[in-house]
């Protein structure tokens, strides 16, 4: 199973989170968190910081990232899509978001996220993480690969 990270820069003063419109690859056309695969031997926070820099041009200190969720995704019949995602939250960073070949960054209001533009699982875990909860969750998608048919979400510490 693939291991990936996600980094959510949260601007509390303006009540917004940075997400991105995916331009290519897995999730193309959806509004997603900024992240991607962990390289061999790479620490999870370092991977999250690297992906944030590569996809949106923001620099963050990996030591300042807060791990907020561990998500597992199953796509029965499509094992190449299955992955584990370690979600980190950033409250401080340097730079302004810039587009990359893969992502067009978009600030989204914390209280009005466009779930209809996201993967189906986002509505089940993202509001909780943005509210400061720490989660472990498993999602199983249906044959259409678009709809969550089973979910188990629980809080930790």
């Amino acid at each position: 199973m693939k291991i990936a990270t996600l980094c959510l820069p949260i601007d509390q003063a303006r009540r917004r989170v940075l997400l991105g419109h995916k331009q290519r690859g897995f999730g193309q056309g959806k509004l997603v968190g900024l992240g991607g695969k962990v390289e061999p031997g790479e620490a999870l926070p370092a991977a999250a910081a690297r992906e944030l820099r590569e996809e949106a041009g923001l620099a963050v200190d990996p030591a300042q990232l807060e791990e907020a969720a561990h998500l597992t995704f199953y796509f029965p019949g499509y094992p190449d899509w299955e992955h584990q995602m370690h979600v980190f939250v950033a409250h401080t960073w340097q730079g302004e978001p810039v587009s990359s070949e893969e992502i067009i960054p978009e600030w989204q209001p914390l209280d009005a996220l466009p779930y209809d533009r996201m993967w189906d699982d986002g509505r089940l875990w993202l509001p909780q993480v943005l509210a400061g909860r720490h989660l472990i969750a498993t999602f199983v998608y249906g044959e259409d690969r678009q709809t969550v048919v089973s979910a188990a979400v629980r809080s930790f510490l």
Side-chain angles (χ1 to χ4, degrees), residues 54 66 92 100 142 144:
E54 290 175 1
E66 173 189 347
T92 60
S100 64
D144 66 357

Side-chain angles (χ1 to χ4, degrees), residues 50-61:
R50 176 184 52 77
E51 287 286 346
L52 181 63
R53 185 180 61 256
E54 290 175 1
E55 292 188 346
L58 298 182
V60 63
D61 178 355

Side-chain angles (χ1 to χ4, degrees), residues 21-125:
H21 182 79
K22 186 82 161 134
Q23 297 298 296
R24 65 180 188 190
F26 186 74
Q28 181 176 357
K30 295 187 182 300
L31 188 63
V32 298
L34 305 170
K37 294 181 194 113
V38 177
E39 295 178 357
E42 188 175 32
L44 296 172
R50 176 184 52 77
E51 287 286 346
L52 181 63
R53 185 180 61 256
E54 290 175 1
E55 292 188 346
L58 298 182
V60 63
D61 178 355
Q64 297 298 312
L65 294 176
E66 173 189 347
E67 188 163 11
H70 180 224
L71 313 175
T72 304
F73 300 93
Y74 292 102
F75 292 85
Y78 299 91
D80 287 347
W81 284 32
E82 296 182 350
H83 60 284
Q84 293 181 351
M85 179 78 67
H86 296 266
V87 180
F88 293 85
V89 171
H91 295 287
T92 60
W93 55 86
Q94 294 177 340
E96 292 295 323
V98 294
S99 296
S100 64
E101 289 182 13
E102 194 164 340
I103 294 283
I104 298 172
E106 298 179 15
W107 287 107
Q108 298 295 328
L110 291 175
D111 57 356
L113 293 171
Y115 295 111
D116 60 325
R117 294 177 55 202
M118 299 179 190
W119 283 98
D120 193 35
D121 58 84
R123 64 188 165 77
L124 301 171
W125 67 268

Side-chain angles (χ1 to χ4, degrees), residues 124-140:
L124 301 171
W125 67 268
L126 185 55
Q128 294 186 62
V129 166
L130 295 175
R133 292 186 189 91
H134 295 83
L135 306 175
I136 296 174
T138 301
F139 303 99
V140 179

